[in-house]
Amino acid sequence: MRGEVDPQSSMFHYFSVASRIPADHPLRRVKKLAESALSAISAELDGLYARTGRPSIPPERLLKAQLLIAFYSVRSDRLFCEQLDYNLLFRWFLDLDLESGGLDQSNFSRLRERLVETDIARRFFDEVVRLAR
């Protein structure tokens, strides 16, 4: 019997993003390694940001996003930020829920450059590689 397409989708969906990521997906292990590496440099990341003012994109999210960009060969920050609106895997990896907005490309690029200029970004990537080995 031929199935039919139902153009009337459900209004509400109740599922966790993590439930949509296969248990054996390689990014599950990478996410644990990245979070471990981030915990090692958390105090230094705190030192880069003021205590007052408008909240910024968390540096953990910026650094983990760079891993995704490298792994999936995303060609630009603009394309990466666009993909965050519909890519569940990317949202899960960056700890973004389904209801929160994506990232603003111009802020993303500017803040990423600021992190890359410091030694912290290199140390993060080195630590992820070290842990993976």
Side-chain angles (χ1 to χ4, degrees):
M1 182 170 119
R2 180 178 174 184
E4 293 182 20
V5 176
D6 181 9
Q8 186 80 24
S9 67
S10 299
M11 182 178 264
F12 299 104
H13 300 278
Y14 298 100
F15 67 92
S16 71
V17 177
S19 70
R20 299 295 179 142
I21 311 304
D24 61 345
H25 196 285
L27 274 187
R28 285 194 177 271
R29 176 146 162 70
V30 172
K31 184 175 181 178
K32 288 179 184 175
L33 296 173
E35 288 170 355
S36 179
L38 286 167
S39 69
I41 60 171
S42 181
E44 293 171 65
L45 291 173
D46 286 341
L48 293 176
Y49 291 83
R51 298 272 183 238
T52 59
R54 194 179 72 185
S56 180
I57 299 171
E60 295 86 355
R61 197 164 279 157
L62 292 167
L63 291 169
K64 286 167 58 176
Q66 292 309 297
L67 288 174
L68 291 173
I69 288 169
F71 290 151
Y72 289 93
S73 302
V74 181
R75 68 179 182 264
S76 70
D77 291 347
R78 183 175 303 281
L79 181 60
F80 178 77
C81 291
E82 176 188 316
Q83 286 185 1
L84 281 179
D85 280 338
Y86 54 81
N87 190 320
L88 291 179
L89 181 65
F90 286 9
R91 291 185 81 82
W92 166 79
F93 192 80
L94 298 180
D95 300 314
L96 284 169
D97 61 37
L98 292 175
E99 294 179 7
S100 63
L103 302 175
D104 175 68
Q105 179 268 321
S106 60
N107 283 338
F108 179 83
S109 297
R110 181 178 49 82
L111 294 169
R112 179 185 50 79
E113 286 301 319
R114 189 173 128 197
L115 266 182
V116 170
E117 288 173 359
T118 69
D119 192 41
I120 290 177
R122 184 191 54 78
R123 289 187 27 239
F124 165 72
F125 293 115
D126 288 348
E127 182 65 10
V128 171
V129 170
R130 188 190 71 74
L131 289 170
R133 287 185 178 155

